[in-house]
Amino acid sequence: MFADVILPLALPKLYTYQIPDGMKVEPGMRVVVQFGKRRKYAAIIKRIHDEPPAAYAVKPVLSKLDEYPVVWPHQLHFWEWIARYYACTEGEVMNVAIPAHLKLSSETIIQLDPAYADETSIAVLASQLTDEAFQIVEALAVRHELSLAEVQQLLGETSYTSAQAVVKSLIDQHICVAYESIRESYRPRLETYILLSPAYAEEQALHQLFDQLEKAPRQLQILMKFYELREKQGWVRKKDLLEQAEASHAQLKALVDKGIFQEIKQTVDRIAFTYDGAIQQLHLTPSQQTCVQQIHDWFKEKRVVLLHGVTSSGKTLIYVSLILEAIAKGEQVLYLLPEIALTAQMIRRLQQYLGNQVGVYHSRLSHNERVEMWNKVREGSLQVIVGSRSALWLPFCRLSLIIVDEEHDMSFKQQDPAPRYHARDAAIYYAHLLHARVILGSATPAVETYQQAMQGKYGYVMLKERYGQIALPDMILADMRTIPRQHRGERHITPLLEDHIRRTLQQHKQVILFQNRRGYAPSQICQVCGWVPHCEQCDVALTYHKSIHQLVCHYCGRKYPPVTQCQACGSHAIIHKSFGTERIEDELHTLFPKASIARMDLDTMRKKDSYHQLIHRFEQGRIDILVGTQMVVKGLDFDSVGLVGILLADSLLNYPDFRVNERAFQLMEQVSGRAGRKGEKGMVVIQAYQLRHPVLAHVMAHDYAAFFQMEIEARAHFQYPPFTRLMKIVLKHAQQEKVVEAAHLLAGELTDKFPGQITGPAAPLVSRIRNEYLQEILIRLPRSAHKLQEQKDTIVDICNQLQQQSSFRHVRMIVDVDPMG
DNA sequence: AGCACGCCGACT
DNA sequence: GTCGGCGTGCTC
Ligand SMILES: [Zn+2]
Ligand SMILES: [Zn+2]
């Protein structure tokens, strides 16, 4: 029999190995195989068959690593679909899908040849070998074994030749021997427990023991404590006994040596499920009950339901209700959140209703913890998982519901290593495969999602009621031009915002000021109405390039002369403006010298725990004004925020990205949701130049439907999703001329094949990253599934052909299916 | 992704 | 003449 296996590498094909007679394996099990000259990997069996390959000699499966499959057959189908849809290899999918500790690869270990076992024979080598080679021999004489990595370390930076070359010559001279070592890296956690020897089980023997220990009061004390602990919890951990009896290791060891105690090692869970609070009974309001009923009705005919609920409308309780039903039926539920930071908060809320039936899974768990969660989900002993997108890869055995909360959030799309998958979209496909259901939850649904719901492809349930009668905040626009002319450029807070901050602080309430993280898109802007020129073809904001004194479109690369007159109001007052991220703390300090001001962004939150510390300080009221980027929008459920300020809405509105409006609307709506508390109305001040921007009007009115109507028309007119599907090819190379040449060639070939579907090539806004120049090509693909896949495959072929040409071998090409920007 | 093989430049 | 640079191709 033969096994087609997936190797954890970016290889386009499966590889076939022979299964030795008597080895019992199944698809989904990990096996050790040799791949290439020496290296060994843990590969996953995808298919078992009896078709002997004719074209090559087959190598045998060396051993099996699992008694049970670590992934289910349905997962293997899912991986295959992901690889095809997102144009990557199954090996790359495997690499993101399974925990690092289930992925094994061998390392080369070297030893001295037995002929050099004694010191004299080694000493002889000193004169024959290079310094580096002899250094290795000396180290081996002491340590017996070295891995190739250790050799590299030993030679360090002083080495001119690679460790590999030195080792190879030692092996060729028969001074060293090498072998490949592959080891399981998962280590179960062991804890030592203390038992009383069976000999003392009898009462009589026990009495004798107490008498016997009369002369050893410390040991007697330990024995007494042992009884106490055993009585209390039924078992005795060594650690607890030592601590509570205040005993030393030596004293306990004496008892073990005397044969009174026995030590046993037992594997224990790393993740403690220790929620011991009261389990709350779920009470739904009438409108929430109706909502649950509506979801059930939709599920009779639809796989996916969009739950459109304004902030704090109690979406979580709806989820809890559905989770409880699934648990009762013995089924599993996956609850996906866009960011790891949100999982901790959510799990605390869910535990109030579900106790210890909930687990977390995300990439910040330790490698060993991830393996343990993996196994619990596979066995079905854990029914509910809250996690970030990586939780989608867990081996669920009875998954019946996937909840994608904050489904509009673009961080569900994986950016860098392939597969560049969208967890929401992937979850919907996975649910099809498993006959499971999906709930997409959001206050501001993604345009694509809402469109599907409006067309009847998804069920749609709206939850209007605001929980606890929290009123929507008052919305105020502040004109940036009210900053006195002489202070323009140095001041960024309008008199109106300043006034509202002052009043809020006087009422001892807190202020959050939002600043956009994506900074710096230099553009032209009308000073009178705030109009910004857009590309006629792509509908994205044009960027002003000072060096060439031209406006550039970052999608199609088209250049325009600078505008001199506003196309909206006719004014000639056009200026250049960069919507960057200003450090406004100094300004705040000057305006409010007594207020305590803190900043929350990726840079200041880099240190471990600084995030939680800051939140804690804010909750305690020790921070008056919190300035932050996107981080302050997500996740935090602060209670006493009186005012939220958006420092410069234009920085959200002018980014060259076809989704800007969607992003801006979602962000401003979400920021607004932070203002206010139970019973008290909050306030939101939006500072902007473009006061008449349509997105702002919809935000002011909290009118999602109107926003959607406007946006969907633009998407239709400019042929963006959901009316087409997009594919982006990013080319990277250290030399600008090289990427530009490759990009133009590629775009040319693509245009031949798919006329009218290609935009670009063009340099993106950030055109150089880590010493590499970038070029991007955008391709519009049809919506119908079979044509789509066909065209995708052709595009990948064209890319590979170009890559094959020796002059472009070093141009990196990254294919991004359904890109976010 | 490794790893080996193979073909050209600067050194013994 | 050799050593070693890395460009090219393959791995069941
Ligand atoms: Zn104007
Ligand atoms: Zn354009």
Side-chain angles (χ1 to χ4, degrees), chain A residues 123-279:
Chain A
V124 174
L125 291 174
S127 57
Q128 297 169 10
L129 295 175
T130 62
D131 285 356
E132 283 173 339
F134 190 66
Q135 204 185 340
I136 296 170
V137 170
E138 275 185 307
L140 282 173
V142 181
R143 293 176 55 186
H144 303 293
E145 285 195 340
L146 287 173
S147 71
L148 220 50
E150 287 169 329
V151 173
Q152 187 85 67
Q153 223 169 38
L154 187 75
L155 300 182
E157 283 135 40
T158 53
S159 166
Y160 292 103
T161 43
S162 73
Q164 208 170 345
V166 184
V167 167
K168 191 180 181 302
S169 87
L170 284 170
I171 292 166
D172 291 345
Q173 295 170 67
H174 300 288
I175 297 168
C176 286
V177 288
Y179 69 94
E180 289 294 299
S181 157
I182 186 163
R183 292 192 321 257
E184 281 283 12
S185 33
Y186 169 66
R187 292 269 170 279
R189 176 137 111 199
L190 295 174
E191 237 166 41
T192 312
Y193 287 80
I194 302 291
L195 301 176
L196 193 65
S197 290
Y200 297 97
E202 308 267 320
E203 192 123 345
Q204 209 183 349
L206 201 61
H207 278 297
Q208 277 180 7
L209 176 59
F210 275 96
D211 294 343
Q212 188 191 325
L213 285 181
E214 210 133 284
K215 288 158 280 165
R218 286 298 297 154
Q219 292 183 14
L220 189 62
Q221 204 186 334
I222 296 170
L223 189 63
M224 304 286 277
K225 198 75 200 175
F226 171 83
Y227 268 98
E228 191 189 317
L229 285 170
R230 198 175 69 171
E231 193 65 32
K232 209 159 60 187
Q233 36 191 200
W235 34 261
V236 181
R237 277 206 305 186
K238 183 179 181 179
K239 194 166 152 263
D240 295 344
L241 183 61
L242 287 171
E243 242 167 56
Q244 295 191 27
E246 292 173 12
S248 68
H249 280 93
Q251 288 161 349
L252 187 60
K253 188 171 179 295
L255 286 162
V256 174
D257 289 346
K258 279 183 188 170
I260 296 164
F261 282 155
Q262 288 179 345
E263 287 188 349
I264 57 155
K265 289 201 186 288
Q266 206 140 19
T267 64
V268 292
D269 285 350
R270 283 194 168 77
I271 305 143
F273 291 85
T274 53
Y275 178 76
D276 52 5
I279 302 285

Side-chain angles (χ1 to χ4, degrees), chain A residues 626-696:
Chain A
L626 179 63
V627 183
T629 56
Q630 268 73 351
M631 284 185 104
V632 296
V633 181
K634 292 178 185 174
L636 315 179
D637 257 332
F638 298 135
D639 231 15
S640 64
V641 179
L643 172 69
V644 169
I646 293 170
L647 288 168
L648 191 61
D650 309 75
S651 69
L652 291 167
L653 297 166
N654 294 334
Y655 198 84
D657 169 358
F658 79 91
R659 274 184 234 265
V660 255
N661 287 350
E662 184 179 351
R663 282 197 143 104
F665 182 83
Q666 287 164 347
L667 219 116
M668 287 191 269
E669 270 294 293
Q670 220 164 347
V671 175
S672 311
R674 301 283 156 241
R677 68 205 268 202
K678 276 173 196 136
E680 267 179 78
K681 221 175 187 187
M683 174 162 286
V684 177
V685 175
I686 301 176
Q687 298 196 128
Y689 287 97
Q690 301 164 76
L691 300 175
R692 267 174 264 165
H693 196 290
V695 169
L696 287 181

Side-chain angles (χ1 to χ4, degrees), chain A residues 358-371:
Chain A
V358 207
V360 211
Y361 190 85
H362 50 66
S363 55
R364 246 178 270 158
L365 295 183
S366 81
H367 290 173
N368 282 323
E369 285 170 339
R370 272 190 261 181
V371 174

Side-chain angles (χ1 to χ4, degrees), chain A residues 511-513 598-600 614 618 623-628 632 638:
Chain A
V511 177
I512 290 181
L513 297 178
R599 186 179 182 83
M600 181 185 217
L614 189 72
F618 193 84
I623 294 169
D624 300 315
I625 304 174
L626 179 63
V627 183
V632 296
F638 298 135

